Amino acid sequence: MVVFYRRMPRFEYLKPQRFEDVLELLADGTPNRYRVFAGGTDLMDQLKQRKIDVPETVIDLKGLAELDFIDFDKSSGLRIGALTTVTDVANSPEIDQHYSALAQGAREIASIQIQNRATITGNICNAVSSADSAPPLLALGAEVVCATGKGERSIKIEDFFTGPGETVLQPDELVKEIKLPPPTKGSNSVYLKLAPRGRMDLAWIGVAVWAEISAGKFTEVRIGLGAAAPTPIRTPKAEAALRGAEVSQKNIEAAAALASGEAKPRENSFRAGGEYRHMMVEVLVKRALTQLAG
Amino acid sequence: MSDQPAKIGDNWPNLIGKRLPRVDAVEKVNGDAKYAGDFNMAGQLWMKILRSPHAHAKIISIDASKALDMPGVKAVVTAEDFKGWSWGWGPQTRDETPLAEGKVRYFAEAVAAVAAEDEETAEEACALIDVVYEELPGIFDAEEAMQDGAPQVHDYVENNQSWDFHMDYGDVEKGFAEADLVREDRFETGRTLTGFLEPPAAVAQYDTAGITIYAAKQSPYFIYRQLASCFKLPLSKVRVIQPYVGGGFGGTKNDSTAGDFCAVMLAKKTKRPVKFVYNMEEVLTTCRRRHNMIVDCKMGMKKDGTITAVQTKVIADGGAYTAIGPLTMYLTGIMTTLPYKLDNYKHDAYRIFTNHPVSAAMRGHGVTHTRFAAEIQMEKMADELGIDPVEVRMKNAIEAPHETINGITVDTCGLKEGLEIVSSSTAWKDKDKNKKDGPVVRGVGISGTSHLGGARQRGHQSCAAIVRLCEDGTVNYLTGASDAGQGSDTVLVQLVAEELGLTMEDVTIQRVDTAVTPVDNGSYGSRVTILAGQAAQKAAQEVKRQLAEAAAKVWQVDAEKILFNDRTVFVDGDPDKSMPFRKLTQIACYSESGAVIMGKGYSEYGIEKMDFEKGYGNPGVNYSFTSQLSAVDVDLETGMVKAKDFLIAHDCGRPLHPVNVEAQTQGAASQGLGQALYENFKMHEGRTMNSTMVNYMMPLSTEHPDFELHDIITDDPHGPFGAKEASEGSIISTPPSIVSAIHDATGIWFTKLPVTPEKIVLALKEKKERENAQKKESE
Amino acid sequence: MDKITCNFVVNGSAEEVSFPPNRTLLHMLREDLLFHGVREGCSHGECGSCNVILDGKLVNACLILAAEADGLEILTVEGMADGEDLHPIQQAFVDESGMQCGACTTGMILSTKNLLDANPDPSREEIKDALAGNFCRCTGYAKIFESVEAAAETMKGGQQ
């Protein structure tokens, strides 16, 4: 059966004003009873296309004004509330200065119209491998703070994604904020997106690199890849190879080759084939590291 | 200018050639413009179509009882309701039914439709219709479909051959024998989307007065005839009203859709108006698309670059039904004899049925495929012979007057002038200097192409106009010609106002209403300005004649001495005898006879004989020539290509509305850019994998280059004020110039469109490996 | 699914509207309030033809529930002109012929407003970036860019 839907399926709408109220609703546990959303740019589209199970009630989180914040402190780091929009992240001077890859990634997420509604938290909760915020968050060492009625936990971003469209979040769990460690001396980061039409395309490959350079050596490096595997991934081998290594074109190229080997792209996608994507991981990692090496 | 009447002052013409605002501009910026989906009728129902989940399957049974039991559902239609009526090209190939009958032949073909009180209910009811299918093996490749034993899409043809078309002029074997170099190459063009932004929509009513339908159509008289035939009504009882149309570009909006037939049938069944709007994914999955083609091209060339013969074989994936496909096949062949001299030409074209959505017309219809192939092959051969890309074109370019070997007559041709313009640009002269070291490299390429205007093809060619004078001196202009956004309404108003010496504001153009406006074939083949333009001129002249007679009576002079200009009527050479246009209108209308002043006119261009079967004679009224330079940046590591500059020198005879001519050239080039670099439906077992706009990838604001445009004025004798086509030329010229530019940057000739980043990177890798291997061998 | 009632200020007028909770902002504006200048193109947030300015921000009305806009101000293209006088951006699109079929035009105009409100003197590259979420198949964008530039020029001259 094929029907090209123009209308939303039927559901109820709730907009609680308190965080605890949302947790209480989610504690219900009945499958497809509730579905939360912030900006709704992914959820509304998926519902319209009947790509996901239709919940009885959608819960609009925008009543929880306290979750819309960007909080930066040089010693404790950065906190981004679950309701903070992509626009606000893209325009934040602190993020631009200390977490460049994230600001760059945010600017690459679709149109201004989408960025004005979508949230960074929603971008990762939707858990597509090409999400432009995921590689920067991986490279920057982010943690996702989640809550249930029973308490909170903090999840490392590399443990957050479990498969295409899937995360470790439990049905009764709600993301509260994303935390990033404080900037360290000599560190910088960059995000490079490969797509024919730039921001409006889903990334064919997204590469974020965070590197700390001291006395001509890479002291610490983290690399995040998007659209290079079923989920956004880190590249431990390439990172290990660079740790303590001299900043040189040779080392950069060797690490880029390793990162390419760590990618596991789909062999056949209508966007591009596996061989091409492997090659592009290498090109982009090389370019990102070269940029950071300055 | 060929149509210049008695000269009225130095400023004539007042309007033609001027940079005037479009007549529809204000409505389009303030939100007033109404499109089909904006219309609602009292008591209307909403319709939704249920579509097939299989690309090829027998329909065993359809049970709609559960859907009909649902509250709010008013009726369901299936193929049975249409009693075997079918439509398509020509009597032998009417193979498409409004809803699939007995068998579905492509994925998401329409199977049933529901009318309900609201759209949600109609959508939900579709899910309750029980259709039992028996899946059949599908065929998804045109060449495989031609083999014996392949699954058959239709029973009425063998080996899935939908249509074939053959041309044979001169002696190609002799031509190849005379050549110093003969090449054979295979080219492929992509399956592409027309890309209009307004999805098909309509609201239909069926009562004792007949059918009334507001529908988004660029050829409203096609659906007018199809509905009359389907519902066995006289044409006088079919009223198609055309609101603003949100883009057309051929194919879907020329034709009727399943939605149109079903909405009317459901309106008939329920006695309520029925409305539907397609969604964009439905458009990308089920609507007409450009044929993807394999073009095997063989060309002979002498050492000096002279082309001695061309032989082409085309295999086109026609999809599941005939539609307008035979015309596509004709067009792949007929235009290859332009714009380069060619004495020996043979062409064999095969349209093949597959279990893909239906292929049909799109801007640059048929021509773009074979011209791309010939253009690239010519340059490739020139490259091998050490001849410059400009030189090989100048060597072979035709000059007017010219008659091709298949009887196309060209009276004006600005090709050489255009090639001179592009090749004398600094972008061309300095192209080696500007190349850059990489990884991003600048490439520059050129092309020189031709397109027909005033498409005539075959059958009914009508294009008429009525100019109705209001007693206050303003004008209602009625035409069946349709503006799908290209700006033809503005040009037609200009022509009428120019003839009558009025201003643009004095003339109001009525959008098509088949109960009121004269029959017209609509917008395709760059025909509106040329054919409807002549009709407009003649209708206005007819009004002028009647008014001149009234004025002649007043002033007791010869009617031929009466002139019209600047809302004033006067006697030539006698400035004392003048009066406002409005006053003469009143005198004429209030004369004792109670005269009603109306003028009619119809186009008479392009009515000489032609032989469609053999591809002999003129396919159009006249021919435009486009020369283009494209500059692109190619990232040699990622394969990403960015168009930077398009320099286009276009011979459209004379631009009547220069802003529209520029806009058409830019828009067509934009679509050519899409075809060259980005666009192609990716299919898997009949399903369209990239069926959303984000995944199909049409060029956006960020992909567009800077344009530099040049008009070449040639004043063709066969168009109003010398006009030729302006809306398709650059969709032909853009892909070869981009591919040539990519060659300039990479040293590789790409022959399959679109040239994607992946193709570039893998080809460069292969080239490097080959060079390394050669190096090793020579060591 | 009972109807819910919400309040909006649309183009300066207070509106109370009842609709089922699954109603999108797009369909509420088009079908309940009859602002058909808010056009429906792709319905997936990819084309920008349904653009409105919601609470001061440019958004795609197709991806927002009407209920989410409860209590907020909405500007559609119908609210741009001052009576018969077109907004300078609209006038620039008329003067420069920044449209063909018109399906994208109203969204383009709102995107342009969003751009020029924040950046009165944008470069060509900034214009391209600001319009990336607005699809046009007809024009090749050249005349749209020229319209935006002309509007910026007029608005800089003090006209509003």
Side-chain angles (χ1 to χ4, degrees):
Chain A
M1 185 205 68
V2 176
V3 179
F4 292 98
Y5 293 94
R6 293 179 71 251
R7 301 284 168 166
M8 287 286 184
R10 295 173 206 260
F11 48 70
E12 301 294 339
Y13 170 84
L14 278 180
K15 189 178 179 184
Q17 300 299 310
R18 299 188 325 155
F19 191 66
E20 305 80 66
D21 294 346
V22 179
L23 294 180
E24 201 175 305
L25 290 168
L26 293 183
D28 172 274
T30 315
N32 293 327
R33 181 88 179 257
Y34 297 112
R35 181 97 192 200
V36 299
F37 73 100
T41 50
D42 283 321
L43 182 73
M44 293 307 148
D45 192 42
Q46 288 162 355
L47 284 171
K48 201 181 289 175
Q49 296 187 58
R50 310 307 196 264
K51 276 195 173 162
I52 53 169
D53 291 332
V54 179
E56 279 172 41
T57 300
V58 295
I59 300 176
D60 184 352
L61 298 175
K62 287 189 288 296
L64 315 177
E66 71 271 24
L67 294 190
D68 181 4
F69 64 85
I70 293 173
D71 180 35
F72 174 68
D73 182 280
K74 270 195 177 145
S75 54
S76 59
L78 178 72
R79 294 166 55 231
I80 299 170
L83 282 180
T84 305
T85 62
V86 173
T87 298
D88 287 345
V89 169
N91 292 343
S92 156
E94 284 108 347
I95 296 178
D96 195 46
Q97 193 186 339
H98 303 294
Y99 305 91
S100 317
L102 182 58
Q104 290 160 7
R107 286 180 211 127
E108 291 289 350
I109 300 175
S111 62
I112 290 165
Q113 294 88 320
I114 296 287
Q115 292 183 3
N116 281 341
R117 294 297 285 183
T119 61
I120 292 290
T121 300
N123 193 234
I124 60 165
C125 287
N126 195 41
V128 296
S129 177
S130 59
D132 287 306
S133 68
L137 291 173
L138 282 161
L140 292 164
E143 293 187 13
V144 184
V145 181
C146 313
T148 65
K150 291 174 210 135
E152 287 187 8
R153 65 166 172 156
S154 194
I155 304 161
K156 281 188 178 166
I157 186 81
E158 49 264 55
D159 300 329
F160 187 74
F161 305 107
T162 53
E166 286 166 15
T167 68
V168 294
L169 281 183
Q170 297 302 304
D172 62 346
E173 208 167 18
L174 192 64
V175 175
K176 229 178 130 180
E177 63 186 53
I178 297 168
K179 278 170 74 170
L180 284 88
T184 61
K185 196 162 169 278
S187 73
N188 206 347
S189 65
V190 65
Y191 176 65
L192 299 178
K193 173 177 183 169
L194 186 79
R197 301 180 309 165
R199 61 189 293 175
M200 290 306 289
D201 284 327
L202 302 181
W204 284 18
I205 287 292
V207 168
V209 179
W210 173 88
E212 197 183 71
I213 297 174
S214 170
K217 282 184 176 166
F218 290 106
T219 49
E220 192 63 62
V221 175
R222 287 191 295 266
I223 298 172
L225 302 184
T231 65
I233 55 165
R234 291 268 300 268
T235 60
K237 285 181 199 157
E239 293 170 20
L242 286 169
R243 209 168 288 134
E246 211 175 293
V247 176
S248 70
Q249 201 55 32
K250 191 174 146 240
N251 286 337
I252 287 173
E253 282 174 15
L258 281 173
S260 169
E262 291 178 87
K264 296 178 198 66
R266 276 171 64 183
E267 272 317 302
N268 286 304
S269 143
F270 61 80
R271 288 193 189 93
E275 184 185 1
Y276 175 74
R277 288 199 202 215
H278 274 293
M279 292 169 79
M280 291 308 104
V281 169
E282 187 168 347
V283 171
L284 265 66
V285 170
K286 182 191 76 183
R287 286 185 180 182
L289 284 164
T290 306
Q291 260 190 45
L292 293 176
Chain B
M1 287 185 222
S2 54
D3 295 343
Q4 184 160 344
K7 201 164 160 63
I8 306 164
D10 291 337
N11 293 333
W12 188 90
N14 292 315
L15 303 170
I16 295 298
K18 298 282 155 65
R19 302 182 73 84
L20 306 164
R22 293 170 59 109
V23 295
D24 51 3
V26 172
E27 283 157 277
K28 285 179 175 174
V29 301
N30 69 9
D32 277 353
K34 281 181 97 178
Y35 297 78
D38 299 332
F39 283 84
N40 294 296
M41 290 190 193
Q44 81 190 6
L45 301 172
W46 277 87
M47 182 186 87
K48 196 72 199 177
I49 295 177
L50 173 69
R51 295 177 175 277
S52 162
H54 307 293
H56 199 194
K58 272 189 199 160
I59 300 172
I60 305 298
S61 63
I62 303 177
D63 178 1
S65 54
K66 271 184 258 166
L68 285 164
D69 285 346
M70 193 176 158
V73 172
K74 295 296 164 189
V76 174
V77 289
T78 63
E80 225 170 78
D81 292 274
F82 291 96
K83 300 193 171 66
W85 181 82
S86 63
W87 62 299
W89 170 276
Q92 301 86 33
T93 55
R94 289 192 180 125
D95 51 19
E96 191 171 7
T97 49
L99 290 170
E101 191 179 293
K103 181 164 144 166
V104 291
R105 293 182 175 84
Y106 66 96
F107 176 78
E109 182 171 0
V111 172
V114 179
E117 292 289 354
D118 55 65
E119 197 174 17
E120 276 103 331
T121 307
E123 288 178 348
E124 286 161 358
C126 280
L128 298 178
I129 298 175
D130 220 351
V131 186
V132 179
Y133 297 95
E134 181 190 318
E135 263 193 87
L136 297 168
I139 182 80
F140 306 110
D141 177 274
E143 283 184 299
E144 285 172 24
M146 296 167 86
Q147 305 302 317
D148 289 336
Q152 296 295 296
V153 181
H154 290 278
D155 295 333
Y156 77 92
V157 293
E158 278 176 21
N159 296 97
N160 291 309
Q161 189 169 305
S162 158
W163 194 266
D164 59 325
F165 174 76
H166 307 278
M167 291 173 71
D168 195 353
Y169 291 96
D171 182 346
V172 285
E173 291 313 324
K174 186 171 146 273
F176 292 132
E178 284 165 8
D180 294 308
L181 177 66
V182 176
R183 267 201 78 98
E184 290 180 62
D185 293 289
R186 169 164 283 207
F187 297 86
E188 289 181 28
T189 58
R191 62 186 95 228
T192 57
L193 169 76
T194 52
F196 48 74
L197 182 50
E198 176 214 18
V203 51
Q205 182 174 303
Y206 191 113
D207 55 24
T208 42
I211 295 169
T212 304
I213 183 167
Y214 290 82
K217 299 293 164 190
Q218 66 183 94
S219 290
Y221 286 90
F222 284 14
I223 181 177
Y224 158 81
R225 294 180 181 122
Q226 285 151 358
L227 289 176
S229 165
C230 179
F231 291 89
K232 304 191 172 39
L233 286 172
L235 287 167
S236 56
K237 293 205 167 200
V238 177
R239 186 171 181 196
V240 181
I241 299 171
Q242 183 209 42
Y244 281 108
V245 180
F249 317 116
T252 304
K253 286 196 182 170
N254 282 132
D255 272 342
S256 299
T257 62
D260 300 320
F261 294 114
C262 293
V264 174
M265 187 58 88
L266 284 163
K268 187 180 177 188
K269 268 185 129 168
T270 60
K271 304 193 191 311
R272 303 255 303 261
V274 174
K275 177 173 177 170
F276 75 89
V277 181
Y278 277 22
N279 92 4
M280 197 53 94
E281 207 178 342
E282 194 166 23
V283 173
L284 269 70
T285 306
T286 74
C287 284
R288 308 286 202 234
R289 41 181 70 180
R290 195 196 278 295
H291 291 74
N292 55 304
M293 295 190 193
I294 296 165
V295 182
D296 287 321
C297 198
K298 184 176 178 184
M299 188 179 282
M301 194 178 274
K302 286 191 176 165
K303 272 186 193 144
D304 66 355
T306 306
I307 297 168
T308 58
V310 171
Q311 183 171 1
T312 42
K313 181 185 171 193
V314 167
I315 297 170
D317 183 340
Y321 296 99
T322 301
I324 202 169
L327 184 58
T328 316
M329 294 301 100
Y330 164 83
L331 287 166
T332 61
I334 186 83
M335 285 292 289
T336 300
T337 53
L338 285 178
Y340 301 103
K341 286 174 267 182
L342 186 58
D343 292 333
N344 306 294
Y345 175 51
K346 190 169 187 301
H347 177 70
D348 299 284
Y350 302 90
R351 184 180 190 272
I352 306 301
F353 286 130
T354 64
N355 293 115
H356 278 147
V358 185
S359 302
M362 181 182 168
R363 195 179 206 171
H365 190 189
V367 181
T368 173
H369 315 264
T370 37
R371 178 44 47 203
F372 165 69
E375 191 76 4
I376 295 301
Q377 194 171 45
M378 174 175 69
E379 201 171 318
K380 218 170 162 176
M381 292 172 71
D383 195 18
E384 279 181 45
L385 292 169
I387 304 169
D388 178 81
V390 178
E391 197 189 324
V392 74
R393 287 180 173 85
M394 290 300 259
K395 176 99 206 164
N396 291 288
I398 63 157
E399 282 172 36
H402 178 80
E403 182 169 346
T404 69
I405 193 163
N406 59 325
I408 297 178
T409 52
V410 176
D411 289 305
T412 56
C413 173
L415 179 62
K416 284 193 169 176
E417 200 181 332
L419 288 167
E420 270 159 23
I421 290 171
V422 299
S423 61
S424 60
S425 66
T426 51
W428 183 255
K429 284 190 185 150
D430 296 345
K431 72 185 172 95
D432 293 330
K433 217 163 54 188
N434 295 336
K435 199 149 226 159
K436 296 184 274 191
D437 287 337
V440 177
V441 174
R442 172 67 53 94
V444 181
I446 61 162
S447 64
T449 61
S450 175
H451 199 267
L452 60 92
R456 42 188 302 247
Q457 278 86 47
R458 60 191 299 204
H460 166 100
Q461 174 76 359
S462 67
C463 213
I466 296 169
V467 170
R468 205 177 68 197
L469 194 60
C470 301
E471 60 196 33
D472 62 356
T474 62
V475 167
N476 284 123
Y477 173 54
L478 279 69
T479 172
S482 44
D483 189 339
Q486 73 269 36
S488 59
D489 280 359
T490 302
V491 177
L492 296 177
V493 166
Q494 255 182 308
L495 286 164
V496 171
E498 186 73 63
E499 285 295 340
L500 293 171
L502 295 175
T503 67
M504 296 293 280
E505 294 72 32
D506 294 328
V507 180
T508 299
I509 188 166
Q510 310 303 131
R511 294 192 63 82
V512 177
D513 177 342
T514 60
V516 180
T517 48
V519 180
D520 187 289
N521 279 358
S523 285
Y524 62 85
S526 293
R527 65 190 291 282
V528 181
T529 296
I530 295 169
L531 301 178
Q534 192 193 29
Q537 279 185 305
K538 287 182 165 187
Q541 284 159 2
E542 171 64 19
V543 164
K544 208 157 75 171
R545 187 188 58 74
Q546 293 172 46
L547 285 172
E549 277 172 16
K553 247 190 213 168
V554 173
W555 287 315
Q556 294 297 309
V557 294
D558 195 354
E560 275 162 30
K561 300 197 85 173
I562 307 294
L563 297 178
F564 295 73
N565 191 35
D566 200 14
R567 286 176 163 169
T568 307
V569 186
F570 55 97
V571 178
D572 193 11
D574 190 352
D576 291 342
K577 292 198 170 77
S578 88
M579 71 173 110
F581 183 87
R582 180 189 167 107
K583 191 174 173 200
L584 176 61
T585 304
Q586 284 163 348
I587 290 171
C589 289
Y590 297 158
S591 65
E592 60 276 19
S593 68
V596 173
I597 310 281
M598 279 213 288
K600 76 171 165 68
Y602 56 91
S603 115
E604 288 177 294
Y605 288 134
I607 50 176
E608 85 272 10
K609 270 197 147 174
M610 69 185 294
D611 186 335
F612 181 79
E613 268 67 39
K614 290 200 170 66
Y616 191 89
N618 279 308
V621 170
N622 55 27
Y623 304 89
S624 74
F625 297 88
T626 315
S627 304
Q628 178 164 351
L629 174 147
S630 293
V632 302
D633 276 351
V634 183
D635 185 326
L636 299 179
E637 288 181 343
T638 64
M640 293 290 163
V641 180
K642 202 99 193 161
K644 302 303 284 182
D645 296 292
F646 284 175
L647 193 168
I648 303 174
H650 184 62
D651 160 21
C652 73
R654 173 172 291 273
L656 306 189
H657 189 280
V659 180
N660 273 348
V661 169
E662 290 160 10
Q664 285 296 301
T665 300
Q666 289 159 342
S670 163
Q671 293 179 2
L673 169 65
Q675 281 169 211
L677 295 181
Y678 305 105
E679 297 178 36
N680 194 20
F681 281 119
K682 295 291 174 70
M683 306 302 296
H684 178 70
E685 311 218 310
R687 284 176 187 241
T688 303
M689 305 311 287
N690 51 344
S691 61
T692 59
M693 286 173 74
V694 70
N695 289 332
Y696 175 76
M697 294 204 304
M698 291 179 272
L700 297 168
S701 58
T702 40
E703 279 58 67
H704 282 83
D706 290 334
F707 287 94
E708 182 183 328
L709 306 176
H710 294 261
D711 292 320
I712 298 168
I713 313 290
T714 54
D715 282 330
D716 198 88
H718 304 294
F721 288 94
K724 307 197 280 190
E725 81 77 37
S727 57
E728 299 185 84
S730 62
I731 201 172
I732 313 292
S733 60
T734 298
S737 65
I738 288 179
V739 169
S740 170
I742 294 173
H743 169 260
D744 184 44
T746 62
I748 296 168
W749 283 110
F750 290 88
T751 53
K752 294 179 184 172
L753 297 181
V755 185
T756 60
E758 186 172 11
K759 285 180 192 165
I760 291 174
V761 165
L762 296 180
L764 283 167
K765 184 182 167 211
E766 197 198 307
K767 185 182 165 202
K768 203 171 163 191
E769 285 166 358
R770 204 172 49 233
E771 283 166 1
N772 286 344
Q774 277 166 357
K775 220 186 279 169
K776 250 185 209 161
E777 231 168 73
S778 63
E779 273 166 18
Chain C
M1 205 173 61
D2 291 332
K3 283 190 174 180
I4 53 177
T5 300
C6 295
N7 289 281
F8 314 98
V9 176
V10 187
N11 302 330
S13 301
E15 304 278 358
E16 187 183 280
V17 193
S18 297
F19 45 77
N22 67 347
R23 192 86 149 160
T24 59
L25 180 61
L26 171 63
H27 287 153
M28 190 278 288
L29 289 168
R30 284 183 56 82
E31 295 172 8
D32 296 321
L33 297 178
L34 301 178
F35 289 110
H36 56 68
V38 189
R39 312 233 179 260
E40 185 159 15
C42 73
S43 307
H44 290 314
E46 295 165 358
C47 77
S49 57
C50 65
N51 281 179
V52 298
I53 292 180
L54 173 67
D55 196 23
K57 294 191 181 74
L58 184 73
V59 297
N60 294 317
C62 68
L63 295 181
I64 297 174
L65 295 176
E68 291 178 65
D70 188 21
L72 300 180
E73 280 192 36
I74 300 162
L75 176 75
T76 76
V77 79
E78 286 90 345
M80 293 276 290
D82 179 8
E84 296 281 291
D85 296 330
L86 295 177
H87 186 281
I89 295 171
Q90 293 173 310
Q91 191 59 50
F93 273 75
V94 170
D95 294 342
E96 303 299 320
S97 289
M99 88 290 292
Q100 287 188 31
C101 83
C104 74
T105 311
T106 51
M108 286 287 178
I109 286 169
L110 286 161
S111 269
T112 303
K113 180 175 187 331
N114 184 65
L115 168 68
L116 297 183
D117 283 351
N119 179 0
D121 194 14
S123 66
R124 182 58 76 95
E125 286 311 306
E126 286 168 332
I127 294 170
K128 285 186 177 183
D129 189 57
L131 299 181
N134 292 83
F135 170 74
C136 170
R137 186 62 156 175
C138 298
T139 63
Y141 289 86
K143 303 232 175 279
I144 293 174
F145 300 152
E146 286 159 17
S147 301
V148 177
E149 285 158 355
E153 202 55 42
T154 326
M155 288 163 76
K156 264 192 302 188
Q159 287 188 41
Q160 191 42 261

